[in-house]
Amino acid sequence: FSLFRITEILITMSSLDKLRQHTKIVADSADFRLLKQYNAEDATTNPSLILRAARDPTYRPLIDQCIAQASVIAGPLGMNTLRVTKKDLVEEVCDRLSVAFGCELLKIVPGFVSTEVNARLSYDTEKSIAKAKKLIGLYADHGFPKERILIKMAATWEGCRASEALEKEGIRTNMTLVFSWYQAVAVAQARSYLISPFVGRILDWYKKADPATDHGKADPGVAVVTDIFNFYKVNNYETIVMGASFRNTQEIKDLCGCGRITI
């Protein structure tokens, strides 16, 4: 390392430590080796992060194990015997892989791990509920209680209804793919445990419409999350606000004090 690089690392770590004093840090990664380095309190994953980690040969045994477990549903005489399609088998492998990575993360972080419901179910309340319960069941099979899991779902109208039903059964939810104020209101009314507004995605939309959009204090993504946070506080909503999908470190610094930040 050069002296410049060492100084850069020290400054970064100092900023992270300062951030921890005001905001709970959530690691946005499926690489559980990385989590050990940064002492994250919670962790959140999504299919693209799991896919990236799954390409690492280190995790090959975990993948093979999930494939073997999923293959059991096909039966010894083949998939057609039980009318299980290849699509069903792939979905089963993906569910088990998401939970397998989640279990490894739970062994490292002291708090929650978010596991995502298939985005294709975003407009189907009943199927979203069924998938959430299935994931919770798989975690239970590994010895992890529902109290440590956040079911991550898209904040569509149907997703909010699924969240409302799950919360009443003690299954906590993380409402994601949030880009607007109206979604935040619907999530609060559903009494969801946590909401994840996408700071960078909101900025992307504004920059596409106007390339001159400012990255500083006028950052539209930061403004939306700030408004959501203040609205929840003023109206005594208990839903935790977790800024997500950042494009630069200034956005993170501007949201210091937010309930959680996933980075």
Side-chain angles (χ1 to χ4, degrees):
F1 286 119
S2 66
L3 180 59
F4 174 79
R5 178 59 178 154
I6 293 172
T7 304
E8 184 181 40
I9 292 172
L10 289 174
I11 291 173
T12 300
M13 293 303 293
S14 176
S15 297
L16 185 60
D17 290 338
K18 290 178 181 177
L19 187 64
R20 287 183 197 278
Q21 295 175 7
H22 306 283
T23 302
K24 183 173 283 190
I25 303 299
V26 180
D28 194 13
S29 175
D31 188 340
F32 40 84
R33 297 172 304 175
L34 190 64
L35 265 66
K36 294 178 181 178
Q37 299 178 31
Y38 292 102
N39 299 319
E41 297 179 64
D42 297 339
T44 182
T45 66
N46 61 52
S48 60
L49 290 175
I50 290 176
L51 177 62
R52 189 182 309 158
R55 288 172 174 157
D56 187 331
T58 305
Y59 301 124
R60 187 67 209 186
L62 199 62
I63 298 169
D64 291 340
Q65 182 184 42
C66 292
I67 292 173
Q69 291 171 346
S71 297
V72 173
I73 69 171
L77 299 179
M79 289 187 294
N80 292 333
T81 305
L82 297 179
R83 296 183 181 179
V84 178
T85 66
K86 289 183 179 180
K87 181 181 178 181
D88 293 331
L89 191 57
V90 169
E91 185 173 350
E92 185 70 20
V93 171
C94 290
D95 288 345
R96 290 180 177 274
L97 193 59
S98 294
V99 171
F101 271 95
C103 288
E104 295 301 322
L105 298 175
L106 285 165
K107 295 174 185 176
I108 300 169
V109 299
F112 296 105
V113 165
S114 293
T115 298
E116 191 164 330
V117 166
N118 192 323
R120 291 184 178 88
L121 304 180
S122 297
Y123 297 97
D124 191 316
T125 298
E126 295 306 317
K127 288 185 178 180
S128 292
I129 292 172
K131 179 67 75 174
K133 290 182 176 180
K134 178 187 177 183
L135 294 172
I136 290 294
L138 289 173
Y139 272 112
D141 291 342
H142 287 82
F144 291 102
K146 64 182 180 181
E147 287 76 16
R148 293 199 62 198
I149 314 301
L150 295 183
I151 295 297
K152 197 173 179 183
M153 297 188 298
T156 56
W157 176 258
E158 293 82 358
C160 289
R161 301 287 67 75
S163 171
E164 186 174 36
L166 291 167
E167 293 283 354
K168 289 177 180 177
E169 295 187 33
I171 297 174
R172 291 169 172 168
T173 54
N174 171 355
M175 303 308 288
T176 188
L177 295 175
V178 176
F179 312 104
S180 73
W181 165 260
Y182 302 101
Q183 286 177 285
V185 174
V187 168
Q189 292 176 346
R191 304 293 175 180
S192 305
Y193 182 78
L194 184 144
I195 186 172
S196 301
F198 279 9
V199 180
R201 298 284 185 90
I202 295 171
L203 174 64
D204 292 345
W205 189 90
Y206 276 91
K207 286 183 66 176
K208 186 176 181 180
D210 180 7
T213 299
D214 190 4
H215 282 257
K217 290 293 183 181
D219 185 304
V222 171
V224 169
V225 177
T226 301
D227 287 345
I228 292 170
F229 181 84
N230 291 333
F231 173 75
Y232 283 8
K233 290 298 182 184
V234 169
N235 291 279
N236 296 316
Y237 286 116
E238 295 183 358
T239 301
I240 297 168
V241 180
M242 180 171 75
S245 181
F246 294 102
R247 292 293 180 265
N248 54 73
T249 55
Q250 187 59 50
E251 290 176 329
I252 297 171
K253 292 176 182 177
D254 288 344
L255 287 176
C256 181
C258 189
R260 285 175 171 81
I261 290 179
T262 180
I263 55 180

